[in-house]
C-alpha cells in the first residue's frame, strides 16, 4: 500500500513506515479516520511477565495511532489466557494458574506504560481485560449467540489451524474455541467502547476477519481489521530472538545496555526498515541513515539503537547505554556503569572460580561444555584479555577498579562485582 492512496495522516504514515500488511477495508478505514478519532485495539495474552521485541511492531502501531489523535485500547487477555492462542504453535501451551496470569498481566501493563500514555483524555490509551466479560459467559448462550455464526470448515481453513493439523500436532477443543472468544472480544469492545478497528500481526488475520464478520452479522455494524507484517531479519531469523533468548521490553528482564546492543547489532540490510518501524525519526532522516554505506552504516546503527532504547527505557538510560558501549568497545574500560552486573559473595570469589564455571554462572554460556569450547576457540575474555586456559581460576586478584569484566565473544559482557 502506498501512502499517497490515503488522506488520513495516520494511514499515510503507517503505510510509509511499513506497518500495513493487510486491511479488510483500507479506503473505508482511511475515510473513517478523516472524519474523527477512531478507537483501535490489540490483544496481549499474558504468557510471560514481560512483552518482547516480537510484540514491538504492534505496540509502535498503537503509539502511532495515539500520536495522530486516535484512541488505542490495549486488551489484556486475562480470560483467553486460560486457553492460549494456538496460532502457529507446535503444541498446546501449558495452562497457567490464576496467580501466574495476574503476575504476568501486571508485568505486561508495565511494559505498555513505557510506550503509551494512559488516562482519560480523548486520545489517551485505555487498558481493558477480557476477563471482565469472558468470565461471565454462559456456555449455551455463547453457542446460540456466537457459535451459530462460525463455520467449522472455514475455521479449519485458517493457516494457523491448518499448519498445526498438518504437522499432526493435534488441536484441543479448548484451543479451537480461541478464535470464537477473540471475535467475541471485538464485539464487546465495539459495544462497550465504540472500538471500530482491531490490529494484530499477520498471523492473526483469520481471527480478526472472524471478529469483523461476527459484529457485522449480529449487530449490523461495520468494523475493520488491519495487520502488520510478520517480521524476520534480512537473514531470515525471527525478529526478537537471539542466541541468548528473547529480547525483553521489561528493564527487570533485560538491561538498557543489552537492549541497546541488540539494536546496535542489526544487520546492515535491516537498518532502514527498523528505523522506520521502531523509531520516531522523520522519514527523511531514516532515508538518509539508510543510505549510509561502508563503515558509516555503524553510525546509523548507533542512532537506531539509541532511539529504540529511548522509547523503551527513556532517553537518559539510552544515552548512558550508548556511552557504556563506547567505553566498552572503543576504550576497553571495565567500569562502564550500565554493563549488566553479576554479584558474587566476596568469600566465593576469594577462593577462586574456574573461568568455565563462571561463564555458566553469569549466563554467558549455557553449559560447562559450551563454556570450555568458547575458551578453546578464543572467544572468552577477562578484562579484555583473551583467556587461553579453560581451567584458569578467576579470583578477587583479577578485579580492576570495582569489578571484573567477563566477555563471551565481542557482543556479550558481564561486570562481576562483590555483594554489598
Amino acid at each position: 500500500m502506498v501512502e499517497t492512496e490515503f488522506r488520513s495522516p495516520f494511514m499515510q504514515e503507517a503505510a510509509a513506515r511499513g506497518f500495513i500488511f493487510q486491511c479488510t477495508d483500507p479506503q473505508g478505514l482511511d475515510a473513517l479516520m478523516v472524519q474523527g478519532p477512531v478507537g483501535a485495539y490489540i490483544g496481549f495474552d499474558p504468557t510471560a511477565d514481560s512483552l518482547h521485541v516480537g510484540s514491538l511492531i504492534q505496540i509502535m502501531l498503537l503509539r502511532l495511532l495515539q500520536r495522530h489523535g486516535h484512541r488505542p485500547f490495549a486488551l489484556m487477555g486475562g480470560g483467553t489466557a486460560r486457553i492460549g492462542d494456538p496460532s502457529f504453535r507446535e503444541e498446546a501451551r501449558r495452562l497457567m494458574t490464576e496467580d501466574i496470569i495476574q503476575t504476568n498481566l501486571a508485568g505486561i501493563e508495565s511494559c505498555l506504560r513505557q510506550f503509551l500514555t494512559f488516562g482519560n483524555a480523548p486520545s489517551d490509551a485505555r487498558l481493558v481485560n477480557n476477563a471482565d466479560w469472558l468470565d461471565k459467559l454462559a456456555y449455551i448462550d455463547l453457542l446460540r449467540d456466537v457459535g451459530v455464526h462460525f463455520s467449522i470448515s472455514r475455521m479449519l481453513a485458517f493457516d494457523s489451524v491448518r499448519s498445526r493439523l498438518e504437522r499432526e500436532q493435534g488441536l484441543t477443543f479448548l484451543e479451537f474455541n480461541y478464535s470464537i472468544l477473540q471475535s467475541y472480544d471485538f464485539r464487546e469492545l465495539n459495544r462497550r467502547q465504540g472500538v471500530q478497528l482491531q490490529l494484530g500481526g499477520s498471523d492473526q488475520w483469520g481471527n480478526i476477519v472472524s471478529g469483523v464478520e461476527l459484529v457485522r452479522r449480529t449487530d449490523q455494524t461495520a468494523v475493520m481489521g488491519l495487520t502488520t507484517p510478520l517480521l524476520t531479519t534480512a537473514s531470515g531469523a525471527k525478529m526478537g530472538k537471539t542466541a541468548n533468548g528473547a529480547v525483553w521490553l521489561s528493564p527487570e528482564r533485560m538491561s538498557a545496555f543489552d537492549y541497546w546492543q541488540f539494536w546496535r547489532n542489526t544487520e546492515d540490510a535491516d537498518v532502514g526498515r527498523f528505523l522506520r518501524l521502531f523509531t520516531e525519526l522523520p522519514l527523511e532522516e531514516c532515508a538518509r541513515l539508510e543510505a549510509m554505506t561502508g563503515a558509516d552504516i555503524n553510525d546509523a546503527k548507533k542512532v537506531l539503537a539509541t532511539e529504540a532504547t529511548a522509547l523503551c527505557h527513556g532517553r537518559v538510560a539510552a544515552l548512558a547505554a550508548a556511552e557504556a558501549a563506547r567505553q566498552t568497545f572503543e576504550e576497553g574500560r571495565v567500569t562502564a556503569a550500565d554493563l549488566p552486573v553479576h554479584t558474587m559473595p566476596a568469600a566465593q570469589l576469594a577462593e577462586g572460580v574456574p573461568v568455565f564455571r563462571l561463564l555458566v554462572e553469569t549466563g554467558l554460556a549455557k553449559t560447562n561444555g559450551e563454556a570450555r569450547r568458547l575458551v578453546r576457540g578464543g572467544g572468552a575474555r577477562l578484562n579484555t584479555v583473551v583467556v587461553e586456559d579453560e581451567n584458569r581460576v578467576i579470583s578477587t586478584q583479577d578485579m580492576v577498579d570495582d569489578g571484573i569484566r567477563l566477555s563471551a565473544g565481542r557482543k556479550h559482557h558481564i561486570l562481576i562485582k562483590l555483594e554489598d
Side-chain angles (χ1 to χ4, degrees):
M1 296 182 184
V2 182
E3 62 271 21
T4 52
E5 297 177 0
F6 303 117
R7 293 186 298 141
S8 68
F10 168 78
M11 291 294 283
Q12 289 176 349
E13 186 169 357
R17 288 187 177 273
F19 281 105
I20 302 176
F21 182 66
Q22 297 158 300
C23 185
T24 57
D25 183 4
Q27 299 303 326
L29 178 57
D30 183 45
L32 190 65
M33 288 186 158
V34 169
Q35 294 174 16
V38 170
Y41 87 97
I42 294 177
F44 299 93
D45 270 347
T47 55
D49 61 2
S50 172
L51 297 171
H52 55 72
V53 165
S55 300
L56 188 55
I57 186 171
Q58 284 88 34
I59 297 173
M60 291 298 295
L61 188 57
L62 286 178
R63 187 178 169 95
L64 183 63
L65 267 167
Q66 189 166 49
R67 285 202 290 116
H68 284 289
H70 301 286
R71 180 176 295 174
F73 288 79
L75 175 65
M76 309 291 277
T80 44
R82 297 176 182 177
I83 294 178
D85 183 358
S87 298
F88 298 100
R89 292 190 58 81
E90 295 290 338
E91 57 187 16
R93 279 195 176 103
R94 182 177 299 176
L95 297 182
M96 295 181 289
T97 66
E98 187 62 31
D99 286 345
I100 292 175
I101 290 174
Q102 293 305 316
T103 297
N104 291 351
L105 286 172
I108 290 175
E109 178 181 346
S110 179
C111 289
L112 291 171
R113 289 185 181 278
Q114 294 167 213
F115 293 88
L116 301 172
T117 300
F118 289 85
N120 296 316
S123 63
D124 281 349
R126 303 290 196 275
L127 199 67
V128 289
N129 188 336
N130 63 13
D132 292 345
W133 51 82
L134 294 185
D135 285 0
K136 301 172 184 176
L137 278 179
Y139 186 61
I140 298 300
D141 292 340
L142 177 68
L143 292 179
R144 288 175 59 88
D145 179 35
V146 177
V148 68
H149 298 289
F150 282 76
S151 162
I152 293 294
S153 58
R154 183 182 178 190
M155 293 170 73
L156 289 172
F158 288 174
D159 288 342
S160 57
V161 174
R162 189 178 68 250
S163 62
R164 177 84 166 265
L165 296 177
E166 287 175 350
R167 293 193 300 268
E168 298 183 355
Q169 295 293 335
L171 191 71
T172 68
F173 180 72
L174 184 69
E175 293 176 291
F176 196 62
N177 276 271
Y178 185 91
S179 178
I180 296 176
L181 296 182
Q182 185 170 325
S183 299
Y184 189 87
D185 286 344
F186 199 174
R187 192 178 74 173
E188 283 299 300
L189 284 170
N190 178 258
R191 288 178 174 181
R192 294 170 180 236
Q193 303 284 358
V195 172
Q196 298 160 291
L197 175 65
Q198 182 181 175
L199 308 169
S202 59
D203 59 330
Q204 295 297 318
W205 179 248
N207 291 333
I208 290 174
V209 171
S210 292
V212 170
E213 286 297 303
L214 176 66
V215 177
R216 180 184 64 81
R217 291 180 179 183
T218 62
D219 295 10
Q220 292 74 52
T221 299
V223 293
M224 303 170 197
L226 184 152
T227 64
T228 59
L230 188 64
L231 280 188
T232 58
T233 65
S235 62
K238 189 173 182 179
M239 179 65 183
K241 294 290 186 180
T242 70
N244 292 331
V247 180
W248 300 103
L249 304 184
S250 168
E252 286 74 31
R253 284 270 202 157
M254 174 170 277
S255 70
F257 177 85
D258 282 345
Y259 192 78
W260 191 94
Q261 276 298 122
F262 166 77
W263 295 104
R264 168 63 180 83
N265 294 327
T266 294
E267 297 178 38
D268 292 2
D270 289 326
V271 170
R273 183 166 55 125
F274 288 1
L275 281 165
R276 287 186 288 272
L277 290 171
F278 301 117
T279 81
E280 292 179 339
L281 291 174
L283 288 167
E284 296 78 7
E285 178 65 4
C286 293
R288 185 187 72 81
L289 293 167
E290 183 179 21
M292 289 182 171
T293 58
D296 290 341
I297 194 66
N298 290 322
D299 292 331
K301 293 180 183 181
K302 292 175 185 178
V303 173
L304 167 63
T306 300
E307 294 300 316
T309 304
L311 290 175
C312 185
H313 292 267
R315 180 70 57 180
V316 172
L319 294 175
E323 176 60 15
R326 186 189 68 79
Q327 293 178 1
T328 300
F329 299 111
E330 297 177 19
E331 298 179 8
R333 289 178 55 180
V334 176
T335 57
D338 274 18
L339 280 179
V341 173
H342 177 83
T343 58
M344 294 183 62
Q348 180 185 1
L349 196 58
E351 291 178 0
V353 182
V355 64
F356 72 89
R357 289 183 184 171
L358 198 54
L359 285 165
V360 175
E361 184 175 334
T362 57
L364 293 174
K366 294 181 180 179
T367 65
N368 289 341
E370 180 182 312
R372 289 181 182 276
R373 289 191 293 273
L374 180 68
V375 175
R376 292 171 194 161
R381 291 177 179 265
L382 174 64
N383 296 332
T384 74
V385 178
V386 174
V387 180
E388 298 180 350
D389 181 0
E390 63 197 66
N391 294 308
R392 161 74 152 86
V393 174
I394 297 176
S395 70
T396 50
Q397 296 181 0
D398 295 300
M399 295 188 72
V400 177
D401 295 330
D402 60 347
I404 298 171
R405 196 183 82 189
L406 190 62
S407 305
R410 299 182 60 186
K411 300 176 181 178
H412 304 292
H413 309 271
I414 290 285
L415 189 63
I416 301 169
K417 292 189 174 185
L418 300 180
E419 291 182 353
D420 294 333

